[in-house]
Amino acid sequence: MENLRAGANNIVIKVIFILIILSFIFAGIGSYVVGNKQNYVAKVDDHKISKEEFESAYQNQLKQMQSQMGNYFQTLLENPSYEKQIKLQVINELINNYLLEENAKKNGMVVTNSQIKDAILKMPEFSKNGVFDNQTYRNLIQRAGLTPDEFAQYIKKSFLSEQYLKNINSSEFNLPGDAQEINNYINQIRLISTSQLNNNEIKKNIKISDQNILKYYNSNKKDFTEPRKFTAAYIEVEKKNASQNMVVSNEEIQKFYEKNKSQYIEPREIKISYIFVTKKDIALEIEKKLSEKQDFQKLEEQYSQDKFSKSHTLSNWISKGDLPAASDKAAFNLNKIGEFSKIIKVSNGYQIIRLDDIKPEKIKSLEKVKSEINEIILADKVDKKIVEQKQLLSNLSFSNPKTLEPASKKLGLPIETTKPFDIDNIPPSILSNGTKKALLSSTVLKSRLNSNVIQLPNGNLIVFRLTKVEPPKVIDFNLVKAKIKSMLFEQALNIKSDKLAQDYVKELNDNKKSLKFNTPIEVSRNNINASNQKLVEASFNIAEKGKYSYYKNNSGTVFIIKLNNIIYPKGNINSLDEVSNSLVQLRNNINQASLITALREKAKIEVKNIN
C-alpha cells in the first residue's frame, strides 16, 4: 500500500491519481454492512478478520494520526462520522493486505523466517551507532502496541506483498515519444505580459451605508456570538507514577515462563526443493521417474517451469504457513529427509516437493525470552495499578460529588484549574474522547457534580467539575461595526472587480479594446510558489497564444494577462529519464490499484457494522 503513495508530489501523478482513488471509491467495501454479533469485523471468502486484529490496526492508526496532528486530532475524533471513516479505512486496508498476501502465495511467493530476521536486523530504527540494539527494538515495538511475533508477522506480510507487486510491475515500459510528450506538458514555459487595473478607480462609488451594516448584523447575529465559556477544576493521576519503584522478580519471570511455555515454542522448520510444471501428464511422468529412484535434482533441472525462481531449491528455512495452503500441507506432511510428496495441484499448475532438511520444534530457553516476559509482567502490574487508582479515584469523586477536595487529600494530588474555554477548544490537559460528552452531560453541566473518571490519550486519569459557566453572548454592534463594514466593502469590491476584468478580457479577445502591457516574463509549472500561484494557474488556463485572461493577487489587485508565446522544452536525457521513471511509477500505481480492485471484485467480502 505504501507504493501507492510513492511519487505523489509529481504533477503528472497528481493529475491521474484521482482516477486511482475513484477506482477504490467505486470498488467500495465490496459487499454489505450488517449487525456485528460475531467475533469478527470482516470476512473475505472463508477468512475472518478478527476484532482483535482490527482493534490492533485501528489503535496503531490512531497513534500515527495523533503523532502527526497533535491535539487537533482528538477534536476531529469527537465527530462520529470521522471516527467511522477511519475505522472503515482500517478495515479496507486489512482486506486489501489479506487479498494481496493470499494472491502472492497462490503465485508461489515465499517469505522465510530468516528473511524476516535479516530485515529486522537491518532496520535503522532499531540501531545504535550502526549496530542492531535489541532493547531499542523491543521498546519501539512495545510502544506501537505489538509483540515481537506480531511485528514479525507484519514484516512477513509486507515482504510478501512487496515481492509480489515487484513481479507485477517489472514489465512496465514507455514508448519513445511518451516521455517527450509529458515533458512538454510539464516543463513548457509560457511567455506572458500583465497589466494592472487601477484599484482606486474600481473602489470609486462603492458605498457601504450604516443601514446595510446594521441589517447584516441583525441577520447574522450567530456569527457575532461568543460561545458559552467553561472553567473546570480537575485532578490528574499520571500513568508514569504507577510504574515508579515497580520491579519484576526472577521468581515471577520463572513462574510465568513455566505457565506459558506453549507461547514460546519455536515451530518446526524445513528446507525443501520442488518441481513445478503446468501440465498434469508431465507431472505424472516425473512422479513415475521418481518412483523408479531417478535423481530429483536432475529431474527438477530438466522439467521445472517455475516463473518466479531460476533455482527451485528454497535455501532458507520455512515455517508452517509460509507456502500456499496445498503446498504447505504437503510439505509439512513429509517426515524423512529425501522424501517427496505426491502431485500437488496449485493455482497455475502442478508441484512435487522434496524434503531436504528438518529443524524440529523446540521451546525457547528462558534466557532468550526473559526480557520479553519482564516487559509483559511489568506492563500487567502497571495496568493493575492504574485500575486500582481509577477505582479509588472513582469512589472518592462519587462519594463526594460536589467537591474534589477529599480525592485530592487522599491521593496527595493538587486540584488544577483550567482557563475559560469553549466546547470546541477544550484544553489539552482535560481533552479526551469522552470529555465533550461528559462536559455537556446533565450531571456535570446542570448539577455541577464531578465527572466520571476519564482516561487521557497519554494514559493519565482525570476527574473534573465545572466551577464556572458563562452563557453565550452577542457581541455589541459597535464592537463589530468596522469589521462588518470592511467585509461588505471587500465583497462589493470583489464583485465589481471581477465584472470589470471579465469585460476587459472579452473585449480584448474580440479585438475591441487595447491595453498597455508590462515587459513579457516567463512562467512555468516548475517554479510555482505561494506568491505567484494564481498568476501561473491563470496563465496556463489560456487556451492559445494571443489570448487573454485575468487573476487577482493575494492583496486583491486585478491583473489582465496576455499569452505571447508557448515555449516547449527540448529535454535532455536526464530530465527525460526522470519523466520516464515517473510514468513507469504512475503505471505501477495504477496496476496496483487495478489489481486490488480486481481482487476485491472476485472475492466475497462481508463487512460488519463497527460502532
Side-chain angles (χ1 to χ4, degrees):
M1 296 305 292
E2 286 299 323
N3 289 336
L4 289 173
R5 302 183 180 100
N9 288 325
N10 183 285
I11 189 165
V12 186
I13 294 179
K14 281 183 179 176
V15 172
I16 308 179
F17 204 66
I18 298 168
L19 299 176
I20 300 173
I21 295 168
L22 287 175
S23 72
F24 280 111
I25 292 172
F26 288 118
I29 295 301
S31 182
Y32 54 89
V33 178
V34 296
N36 191 9
K37 293 181 180 178
Q38 291 91 341
N39 192 33
Y40 61 93
V41 297
K43 189 176 178 183
V44 187
D45 296 329
D46 294 327
H47 173 75
K48 294 177 181 177
I49 297 173
S50 67
K51 285 184 178 179
E52 291 75 16
E53 185 181 358
F54 162 74
E55 189 60 33
S56 175
Y58 177 60
Q59 291 302 325
N60 286 335
Q61 180 72 9
L62 292 184
K63 287 175 186 175
Q64 184 179 347
M65 296 178 78
Q66 175 75 40
S67 66
Q68 291 172 346
M69 301 169 68
N71 290 325
Y72 177 63
F73 176 62
Q74 289 298 326
T75 304
L76 290 175
L77 211 57
E78 296 286 349
N79 184 338
S81 62
Y82 184 77
E83 184 181 14
K84 185 176 181 180
Q85 181 184 340
I86 297 173
K87 288 181 176 180
L88 287 177
Q89 177 187 333
V90 171
I91 292 174
N92 264 318
E93 288 200 6
L94 289 172
I95 291 170
N96 293 345
N97 290 339
Y98 171 75
L99 288 170
L100 280 175
E101 181 187 350
E102 285 303 296
N103 212 40
K105 284 184 178 180
K106 285 179 183 176
N107 283 276
M109 305 301 298
V110 175
V111 176
T112 65
N113 288 343
S114 58
Q115 285 177 299
I116 296 169
K117 183 179 178 181
D118 288 344
I120 293 173
L121 290 174
K122 291 175 183 176
M123 288 183 178
E125 296 86 353
F126 304 141
S127 295
K128 278 188 177 179
N129 301 319
V131 180
F132 177 80
D133 181 74
N134 189 57
Q135 193 58 48
T136 301
Y137 158 67
R138 290 187 174 277
N139 289 342
L140 286 175
I141 65 171
Q142 186 183 25
R143 205 174 298 162
L146 298 170
T147 66
D149 285 342
E150 287 171 339
F151 183 70
Q153 282 300 311
Y154 171 78
I155 295 298
K156 178 180 176 181
K157 290 178 180 180
S158 298
F159 262 41
L160 203 57
S161 299
E162 184 180 338
Q163 282 186 4
Y164 183 49
L165 291 172
K166 278 182 180 177
N167 279 285
I168 291 172
N169 294 334
S170 61
S171 62
E172 280 300 334
F173 67 94
N174 289 315
L175 294 173
D178 289 349
Q180 186 66 61
E181 187 176 342
I182 295 298
N183 190 50
N184 287 344
Y185 174 77
I186 297 171
N187 297 312
Q188 68 171 252
I189 295 169
R190 295 205 158 195
L191 192 66
I192 58 124
S193 304
T194 62
S195 180
Q196 179 180 333
L197 298 187
N198 190 328
N199 246 26
N200 292 327
E201 287 296 319
I202 301 173
K203 289 177 182 178
K204 279 183 180 179
N205 302 320
I206 296 179
K207 304 289 184 183
I208 308 297
S209 67
D210 287 352
Q211 184 180 358
N212 283 339
I213 298 171
L214 183 60
K215 182 180 178 181
Y216 185 90
Y217 173 80
N218 288 328
S219 300
N220 297 275
K221 282 190 176 179
K222 65 180 186 303
D223 296 332
F224 305 105
T225 301
E226 288 185 346
R228 179 167 46 185
K229 297 281 187 181
F230 305 94
T231 304
Y234 66 96
I235 292 175
E236 182 174 8
V237 176
E238 296 186 13
K239 185 178 181 179
K240 65 181 181 182
N241 295 334
S243 61
Q244 285 183 354
N245 304 320
M246 197 174 280
V247 294
V248 178
S249 67
N250 288 330
E251 289 75 17
E252 288 175 301
I253 293 173
Q254 181 70 45
K255 186 177 178 181
F256 185 94
Y257 176 72
E258 295 297 335
K259 187 177 179 181
N260 297 279
K261 276 186 178 179
S262 61
Q263 295 182 23
Y264 300 105
I265 293 174
E266 288 184 345
R268 179 190 187 211
E269 293 183 308
I270 60 174
K271 287 185 179 180
I272 64 167
S273 299
Y274 65 93
I275 300 172
F276 169 82
V277 293
T278 56
K279 296 181 179 178
K280 189 172 183 179
D281 58 342
I282 298 175
L284 289 167
E285 182 182 337
I286 295 167
E287 186 177 49
K288 183 175 183 298
K289 290 184 177 182
L290 285 170
S291 68
E292 295 169 352
K293 309 297 183 184
Q294 291 195 31
D295 186 79
F296 187 94
Q297 188 172 349
K298 287 182 179 178
L299 292 171
E300 176 257 304
E301 290 171 356
Q302 180 182 350
Y303 288 101
S304 198
Q305 300 170 300
D306 182 84
K307 64 179 180 178
F308 285 107
S309 173
K310 290 180 181 177
S311 169
H312 310 103
T313 298
L314 297 181
S315 58
N316 293 315
W317 293 99
I318 61 174
S319 303
K320 194 166 183 62
D322 285 343
L323 302 173
S327 304
D328 199 72
K329 183 179 179 181
F332 280 88
N333 278 339
L334 301 174
N335 295 307
K336 294 179 182 178
I337 294 174
E339 183 182 2
F340 54 86
S341 70
K342 293 182 178 179
I343 296 172
I344 307 157
K345 177 70 176 77
V346 292
S347 63
N348 51 353
Y350 301 87
Q351 224 177 26
I352 298 174
I353 294 173
R354 181 184 69 181
L355 180 63
D356 294 337
D357 204 352
I358 302 172
K359 192 186 286 184
E361 175 183 287
K362 66 176 182 178
I363 297 174
K364 296 177 184 177
S365 68
L366 177 59
E367 280 305 310
K368 216 170 185 180
V369 296
K370 188 174 183 179
S371 174
E372 181 182 336
I373 293 174
N374 183 82
E375 290 170 8
I376 292 170
I377 296 173
L378 185 62
D380 186 56
K381 285 186 172 187
V382 170
D383 288 342
K384 286 179 180 176
K385 183 71 178 293
I386 287 291
V387 169
E388 290 171 4
Q389 290 181 325
K390 185 175 182 179
Q391 190 59 53
L392 179 58
L393 183 58
S394 179
N395 291 341
L396 289 167
S397 61
F398 181 78
S399 56
N400 303 276
K402 294 186 177 181
T403 177
L404 295 173
E405 290 290 344
S408 172
K409 289 178 181 178
K410 181 74 175 178
L411 297 171
L413 296 170
I415 298 174
E416 308 284 353
T417 303
T418 67
K419 292 180 179 178
F421 63 91
D422 61 67
I423 195 67
D424 294 321
N425 294 284
I426 299 173
S429 56
I430 63 169
L431 180 61
S432 183
N433 284 347
T435 307
K436 183 181 285 189
K437 185 177 179 180
L439 191 64
L440 299 177
S441 68
S442 59
T443 302
V444 175
L445 183 59
K446 293 182 180 178
S447 303
R448 300 290 181 89
L449 303 181
N450 297 335
S451 70
N452 293 327
V453 177
I454 294 171
Q455 188 161 14
L456 300 178
N458 59 9
N460 293 353
L461 305 172
I462 63 161
V463 167
F464 72 90
R465 63 186 308 272
L466 294 176
T467 56
K468 188 177 181 181
V469 178
E470 302 173 49
K473 60 180 180 181
V474 177
I475 303 171
D476 183 82
F477 172 69
N478 291 317
L479 295 176
V480 294
K481 181 179 178 181
K483 179 181 176 182
I484 295 172
K485 183 176 182 179
S486 174
M487 182 182 66
L488 293 177
F489 184 85
E490 286 300 319
Q491 288 177 358
L493 180 61
N494 265 331
I495 293 169
K496 187 176 179 182
S497 60
D498 276 335
K499 179 67 169 62
L500 182 62
Q502 288 163 9
D503 290 344
Y504 257 102
V505 168
K506 187 176 185 308
E507 290 180 352
L508 286 166
N509 282 330
D510 293 342
N511 296 315
K512 293 180 180 179
K513 200 176 191 74
S514 63
L515 198 62
K516 184 177 180 181
F517 285 89
N518 297 326
T519 304
I521 60 170
E522 293 181 350
V523 295
S524 75
R525 291 185 177 94
N526 292 326
N527 62 7
I528 192 169
N529 55 53
S531 63
N532 71 0
Q533 181 178 356
K534 293 178 180 178
L535 167 63
V536 174
E537 288 176 353
S539 299
F540 278 87
N541 282 335
I542 302 174
E544 57 185 280
K545 64 182 181 181
K547 295 297 183 181
Y548 302 83
S549 185
Y550 79 97
Y551 84 101
K552 291 180 182 178
N553 67 12
N554 295 331
S555 303
T557 304
V558 181
F559 292 86
I560 305 296
I561 305 171
K562 179 183 179 182
L563 177 58
N564 299 300
N565 200 7
I566 300 174
I567 305 166
Y568 294 102
K570 293 181 180 179
N572 58 47
I573 292 174
N574 289 336
S575 67
L576 288 178
D577 284 346
E578 188 178 334
V579 172
S580 182
N581 290 336
S582 296
L583 282 173
V584 170
Q585 180 62 56
L586 173 62
R587 291 194 182 103
N588 287 341
N589 289 342
I590 295 172
N591 286 343
Q592 292 166 28
S594 300
L595 170 64
I596 291 169
T597 301
L599 291 175
R600 291 181 73 103
E601 287 173 352
K602 289 180 182 178
K604 183 181 178 182
I605 299 175
E606 174 188 341
V607 177
K608 300 297 181 180
N609 186 31
I610 300 296
N611 295 319

